[in-house]
Amino acid sequence: MTDLDPEDTAAMRRENGGKDFRLYLRQQITNGRARKTAPPPAPPPKPPGYQPGAWPAGTRPPDPPPTRHTEADWQLALDHYRNGLGHDNDPCHCGSCPPATKGTS
């Protein structure tokens, strides 16, 4: 039983001159303080040979992924886009765009 109904509260107040109700409330305060002051759980032990740091000793972060397009390729594609090219009459030659088909616009 975790919830008190108004009838339960009234019955505790009637029994033993309200002593049961006072004991119940005091126990609720004690339980709340015990939950509040419980020590935090101990952290798990470190694995054998553990050394603090982001990467294990003798290693480094991975290299950034290689790009297959040079800066000039990007600039050419940007100029191509800005000039409104890349339509069916002048397909893009970047290698990433789908091939143009005739008769679509």
Side-chain angles (χ1 to χ4, degrees):
M1 179 170 133
T2 57
D3 295 331
L4 281 181
D5 296 332
E7 298 87 24
D8 296 335
T9 304
M12 282 198 296
R13 286 184 178 185
R14 280 191 306 269
E15 295 172 3
N16 294 331
K19 190 174 186 181
D20 290 341
F21 188 62
R22 286 192 300 273
L23 289 174
Y24 172 76
L25 291 179
R26 285 189 185 123
Q27 186 61 42
Q28 291 296 314
I29 292 171
T30 303
N31 291 346
R33 285 184 181 154
R35 279 194 305 264
K36 186 171 142 182
T37 59
K46 304 288 186 204
Y50 173 77
Q51 294 181 350
W55 295 93
T59 62
R60 63 182 181 86
D63 291 329
T67 60
R68 43 177 235 194
H69 298 296
T70 64
E71 182 66 32
D73 292 337
W74 286 110
Q75 192 61 42
L76 180 66
L78 185 59
D79 292 340
H80 196 76
Y81 175 76
R82 286 181 178 158
N83 292 332
L85 300 176
H87 296 288
D88 292 337
N89 56 0
D90 188 16
C92 182
H93 302 290
C94 70
S96 298
C97 295
T101 58
K102 295 193 179 223
T104 59
S105 54

